[in-house]
Amino acid sequence: MALNLSDTAELSSIRDWVRWGASRFTEAGLFFGHGTDNAFDESLALVLHALHLDHSLPPDFLDAHITASEREQVLAYLRERIETHVPAAYITHEAHFAGLTFYVNENVLVPRSPIAELIEAEFSPWLAPGDDLEILDLCTGSGCIAIACAHYLPHARVDASDISPLALDVARVNVERHQVEDQLHLFRSDVFDELPHRQYDLIVSNPPYVSEEEMLGLPEEFRHEPALGLEAGADGMDIVAHILCQGGAYLKPGGIMIVEVGDSMGHLMERYPQVPFMWLEFERGGHGVFLLTAEQLNEYQDIFLEECDS
């Protein structure tokens, strides 16, 4: 689909451009699931970014007119979204998570985990937010989960790891942006393998969990995300199995583990039918996030080890 300025002669206000962009996105059959879930919000994000505005814009300002040079930049963003199927967050290099803004590029997944809701609630009722908590975020990517933990739990000490040096470069940008250098430490590690051995009150992770078959059917937008952050073996559970196998040794007594597996929750329960995963519910939507206690991880350690060794 070719978009030209001549097609937009009748568009004058921000509202006009947002509506027109949403119509073109729907017409082009784009997929939405990287920070927005519909054509209107995706168009709004791109139009506002092109105009150097944010979502705090008063609603009346949507009727403001835009200049000729601004029209060209808005059109360029909308055109790129349609022609490349690149998610809007990679075009703007900006994503929102737990009420915070993060720098992103195509070396990290676009933040979108429902774990944000748990962080904003300070992991109540499982953790006491006033305590000097120790938290580990595995497969941190952009650092959004770890940084949000540091933000909402300012007394916590947070470690975060990722196997990808490129992802850690992005995480460092965000650590500096949110000024949590004294509270948060980054490690390059394949899950636990290169981490210093210490015990935590909370291990949290949004690891790769997409199966080989599911990878083949993902919309084109996902092809712009790093496969390393998505795919994890035949059933998508290879990294999760690694986390379960070693996690108990890294939790304090009374500690908890929270891991997202999304639509692969069925695969997880098939692997471990004996394990009583607690599946968490979310007011703002989302699913496939389980909680296990340190005691449960130790109780079912033999099962986890057997699966890792098979």
Side-chain angles (χ1 to χ4, degrees):
M1 176 189 296
L3 301 185
N4 301 298
L5 275 176
S6 59
D7 301 325
T8 65
E10 297 179 57
L11 306 178
S12 60
S13 69
I14 297 173
R15 192 185 306 274
D16 289 341
W17 277 89
V18 171
R19 195 283 308 160
W20 185 80
S23 295
R24 301 292 74 74
F25 289 172
T26 301
E27 183 182 13
L30 301 184
F31 172 82
F32 310 103
H34 295 85
T36 70
D37 61 6
N38 61 83
F40 178 83
D41 286 342
E42 191 94 346
S43 179
L44 179 64
L46 288 169
V47 172
L48 291 182
H49 191 82
L51 300 175
H52 306 286
L53 299 170
D54 60 36
H55 287 76
S56 64
L57 184 77
D60 289 348
F61 278 59
L62 290 174
D63 294 317
H65 291 257
I66 64 175
T67 68
S69 61
E70 289 173 334
R71 287 159 56 93
E72 292 180 2
Q73 184 59 67
V74 171
L75 185 63
Y77 281 174
L78 300 179
R79 181 187 290 130
E80 182 177 0
R81 180 67 179 91
I82 289 172
E83 292 180 353
T84 67
H85 285 248
V86 171
Y90 289 149
I91 297 173
T92 64
H93 295 295
E94 185 174 277
H96 301 276
F97 180 82
L100 305 173
T101 302
F102 294 89
Y103 168 78
V104 295
N105 62 27
E106 293 183 30
N107 294 315
V108 297
L109 301 185
V110 177
R112 52 186 179 271
S113 173
I115 290 173
E117 192 172 314
L118 304 177
I119 299 171
E120 292 172 32
E122 300 177 354
F123 295 100
S124 176
W126 302 287
L127 297 180
D131 293 348
D132 294 330
L133 300 171
E134 293 191 84
I135 298 172
L136 172 62
D137 173 28
L138 297 170
C139 310
T140 194
S142 66
C144 62
I145 288 177
I147 292 166
C149 286
H151 176 83
Y152 284 94
L153 296 163
H155 297 293
R157 180 191 188 280
V158 184
D159 290 342
S161 73
D162 203 284
I163 194 173
S164 166
L166 295 175
L168 289 171
D169 287 342
V170 175
R172 288 187 189 95
V173 171
N174 287 316
V175 167
E176 293 175 6
R177 171 181 286 190
H178 291 281
Q179 299 181 335
V180 291
E181 298 97 325
D182 293 339
Q183 191 181 355
L184 194 158
H185 301 86
L186 296 171
F187 297 88
R188 184 183 179 190
S189 178
D190 183 0
V191 191
F192 297 101
D193 292 354
E194 288 79 45
L195 286 177
H197 190 81
R198 63 168 54 97
Q199 291 187 312
Y200 298 88
D201 300 283
L202 166 67
I203 296 172
V204 60
S205 183
N206 178 17
Y209 56 74
V210 181
S211 70
E212 293 174 355
E213 181 179 359
E214 290 166 334
M215 282 291 292
L216 297 175
L218 289 177
E220 188 176 347
E221 278 77 1
F222 288 94
R223 306 298 171 194
H224 296 279
E225 293 193 293
L228 185 65
L230 293 170
E231 187 175 356
D235 66 353
M237 291 293 100
D238 286 2
I239 305 301
V240 175
H242 193 169
I243 293 171
L244 292 171
C245 185
Q246 294 184 264
Y250 286 81
L251 275 178
K252 298 177 183 178
I256 60 171
M257 172 184 287
I258 293 176
V259 179
E260 177 177 347
V261 296
D263 291 336
S264 294
M265 58 191 297
H267 295 308
L268 181 69
M269 290 187 287
E270 287 177 10
R271 276 208 186 199
Y272 307 105
Q274 311 96 319
V275 178
F277 296 101
M278 177 189 293
W279 295 102
L280 305 181
E281 297 182 357
F282 300 92
E283 293 182 1
R284 302 200 298 260
H287 64 280
V289 177
F290 71 78
L291 184 151
L292 289 174
T293 66
E295 289 69 30
Q296 288 173 320
L297 285 165
N298 291 325
E299 179 180 354
Y300 295 96
Q301 180 71 15
D302 290 344
I303 293 173
F304 297 140
L305 286 172
E306 181 180 350
E307 185 64 34
C308 286
D309 294 337
S310 63

